[in-house]
Amino acid sequence: MPAPATSTAQAPANSRSRVLVASLIGTTIEFYDFYIYATAAVLVFPSLFFPNSDPTTALLSSFAVFGAAMVARPIGAIVFGHLGDRLGRKGTLVASLLTMGIATFLIGMLPTYEQAGWIATALLVLMRLAQGFALGGEWSGAALVATENAPKNKRALYGTFPQLGAPLGFIIGNGLFLIIGALLPSSAGADPSQPSEAFLSWGWRIPFLFSAVMVVIGLWVRMRLVEAPVFSKTREAGLVRKLPLATVFRSHWKQLVLGTFFMLATYVLFYLMTTFSLSYGRTATDAAVPGLGYSYTTFVLMMIFGVLFFAAFTLISGPLADKYGRRATLIWVTAAILVFGLVWVPLIGMGTLGVVLWLVLGFTLMGMTFGPMGALLPELFPTSVRYTGSGISYNVSSILGAAVAPFIAVALWEAGDGSPWLVGVYLSSMALLTLVSLLIGKETKDIALDEGETPAGNDATDRDGSPAATAAR
């Protein structure tokens, strides 16, 4: 009997360029949106939305709203993961991108505390939660588009493209802030490290409003995708789970725990290098809690230089993880992160050259640890629960790592009387936890993404026969 028209064999395939562009552009937009908030959280939000606090308290309050999005991310991972595992990757990815874009655009329209009081702050929190909710479903979907459409021996390489959105989003977002800051400089006699009145009044809104243009481009690219054969095969075989979340927690809880700790050091390093470093670098040397004393423009340019290494080594990490394995590559990189955390003070003590080297090393390690995650986390789970499982691991780690990292870093910075040595020790401690989890885990590069599926409802067999269960043994 001939195969039905909907058979996987007859299904159109995504071209390599379509897969890579669709996985890259979405995460670039998502990370752009997150970065512009992170920059505004340091630069303008303390004075615009928390004006009645002292500078440190205002900064912490701004970071609290920043961290609130991390709490919303696992919820987004559950909701979008459920939809992605039941209905498909394409529509879910479109929905997550649209949610993120609307929330970001609306931040650019918000009244300030001076205009609306606590309502302005509450609306900022609400939009930030919406951003986190959307990003909770974005990453895993983009990673699945890349890896489920990739040749088996190139999954890590393909998986680096959604990861590449992080450095590209950083460069675009911060580059736009730099351009606006240059066009709206502080008036004569004002502190050049602080934003001008025009910037505080309306200039900061431009990057948030500009996100609408990027979202339209991203939606156009993603609407042209078709479902990957791996998912289509699972759906046609009747293997779609009614409640993917229940299956994940019942049959793949070990992979959830391991995946969460695999990402821990990555998240802590990520937010220390992109958020804490901006606060530390811009704070005056004679402040109550002293920093490095660079102007905003100078330090952001130094960061962008470091992020170029982030982008380059994200791509380099893919072929290495394909050749040597995800686990082996990440063990060595995580050990290097542990050492890096212990040498912060000697590096920074070398002056500007040392600070640049600190940024370059940090972002290089960030690329090397972030790149392989695009393949590793999806490979931990079978197709029927892959969106849910990888998304929960990735985003729960955001709470343990990113949500609390700014708070812990600021507290340790104060405890060190302006020296970041305790912040470096904190990074090394988190790297140690990730290193232990990698030593416990198993290699996943040789797993076939469509193997080991069992009929829906037979979770006892799924627990024993899935690629995720096999990888965890």
Side-chain angles (χ1 to χ4, degrees):
M1 182 180 294
T6 57
S7 169
T8 304
Q10 302 297 322
N14 293 304
S15 66
R16 179 174 63 180
S17 60
R18 184 182 299 175
V19 168
L20 298 181
V21 171
S23 61
L24 171 62
I25 193 167
T27 52
T28 299
I29 294 169
E30 301 280 2
F31 279 104
Y32 164 85
D33 291 348
F34 248 55
Y35 281 135
I36 60 176
Y37 183 93
T39 300
V42 173
L43 199 60
V44 297
F45 284 173
S47 60
L48 293 180
F49 292 93
F50 310 98
N52 296 327
S53 305
D54 63 80
T56 300
T57 302
L59 179 61
L60 286 172
S61 298
S62 186
F63 278 156
V65 180
F66 181 81
M70 305 303 170
V71 178
R73 284 173 63 164
I75 300 174
I78 292 171
V79 173
F80 286 113
H82 177 87
L83 296 174
D85 282 329
R86 283 192 56 78
L87 304 179
R89 302 0 181 168
K90 174 183 174 180
T92 307
L93 275 172
V94 169
S96 68
L97 183 59
L98 192 59
T99 303
M100 184 74 167
I102 292 173
T104 304
F105 182 84
L106 289 178
I107 289 177
M109 302 290 290
L110 289 181
T112 64
Y113 186 90
E114 182 180 0
Q115 296 167 328
W118 66 268
I119 295 177
T121 304
L123 289 174
L124 178 64
V125 173
L126 181 61
M127 293 303 101
R128 186 61 180 158
L129 289 172
Q131 281 189 316
F133 179 79
L135 190 53
E138 164 60 30
W139 177 85
S140 51
L144 265 55
V145 165
T147 56
E148 289 183 341
N149 286 281
K152 182 179 178 180
N153 63 342
K154 292 185 178 180
R155 281 202 304 257
L157 174 60
Y158 274 55
T160 61
F161 276 80
Q163 310 301 75
L164 191 60
L168 291 182
F170 181 95
I171 292 171
I172 296 171
N174 282 278
L176 186 54
F177 264 113
L178 280 178
I179 292 171
I180 296 169
L183 295 175
L184 301 173
S186 298
S187 59
D191 184 352
S193 68
Q194 299 302 314
S196 66
E197 287 299 320
F199 191 97
L200 286 171
S201 176
W202 56 270
W204 68 271
R205 299 178 184 273
I206 296 174
F208 292 92
L209 300 177
F210 177 72
S211 68
V213 177
M214 301 179 66
V215 168
V216 170
I217 297 172
L219 289 174
W220 178 77
V221 173
R222 286 191 168 175
M223 290 296 290
R224 300 177 66 209
L225 286 173
V226 296
E227 293 293 351
V230 169
F231 178 78
S232 297
K233 178 180 176 181
T234 296
R235 181 164 54 188
E236 291 168 11
L239 299 175
V240 172
R241 305 289 168 176
K242 184 177 182 180
L243 292 173
L245 180 65
T247 302
V248 164
F249 277 102
R250 180 169 53 246
S251 303
H252 308 287
W253 62 270
K254 291 182 180 178
Q255 289 69 52
L256 284 177
V257 174
L258 284 175
T260 297
F261 281 95
F262 287 167
M263 279 294 304
L264 184 60
T266 303
Y267 261 123
V268 174
L269 178 62
F270 184 76
Y271 283 92
L272 290 183
M273 298 310 300
T274 58
T275 304
F276 168 77
S277 65
L278 183 58
S279 297
Y280 177 63
R282 289 181 57 249
T283 300
T285 56
D286 59 354
V289 181
L292 295 176
Y294 290 96
S295 70
Y296 169 74
T297 300
T298 298
F299 196 76
V300 170
L301 286 173
M302 293 163 65
M303 291 178 70
I304 290 177
F305 178 71
V307 170
L308 294 176
F309 289 83
F310 181 3
F313 280 88
T314 295
L315 289 176
I316 289 171
S317 70
L320 292 176
D322 277 325
K323 181 176 182 179
Y324 299 108
R326 292 76 161 116
R327 178 174 174 267
T329 301
L330 287 169
I331 284 174
W332 284 105
V333 174
T334 305
I337 293 173
L338 192 156
V339 175
F340 173 67
L342 300 177
V343 298
W344 274 31
V345 171
L347 284 173
I348 294 171
M350 295 168 57
T352 297
L353 178 62
V355 173
V356 172
L357 183 58
W358 170 58
L359 292 170
V360 168
L361 286 175
F363 281 118
T364 294
L365 291 171
M366 184 62 223
M368 289 296 293
T369 186
F370 194 50
M373 294 297 176
L376 174 59
L377 295 187
E379 288 169 348
L380 291 174
F381 303 92
T383 305
S384 59
V385 296
R386 185 170 294 133
Y387 205 130
T388 301
S390 61
I392 291 175
S393 292
Y394 182 85
N395 290 290
V396 169
S397 189
S398 76
I399 296 178
L400 300 179
V404 299
F407 289 107
I408 294 175
V410 171
L412 294 176
W413 176 24
E414 289 184 325
D417 295 325
S419 171
W421 74 274
L422 287 173
V423 184
V425 171
Y426 164 58
L427 172 61
S428 296
S429 301
M430 297 302 101
L432 181 60
L433 291 176
T434 291
L435 188 59
V436 170
S437 70
L438 288 167
L439 293 172
I440 293 173
K442 302 296 182 182
E443 182 55 59
T444 62
K445 80 180 184 74
D446 294 322
I447 288 173
L449 292 185
D450 59 351
E451 72 178 14
E453 290 281 9
T454 57
N458 191 6
D459 290 329
T461 305
D462 186 40
R463 181 164 50 249
D464 295 330
S466 73
T470 303
R473 289 190 187 121

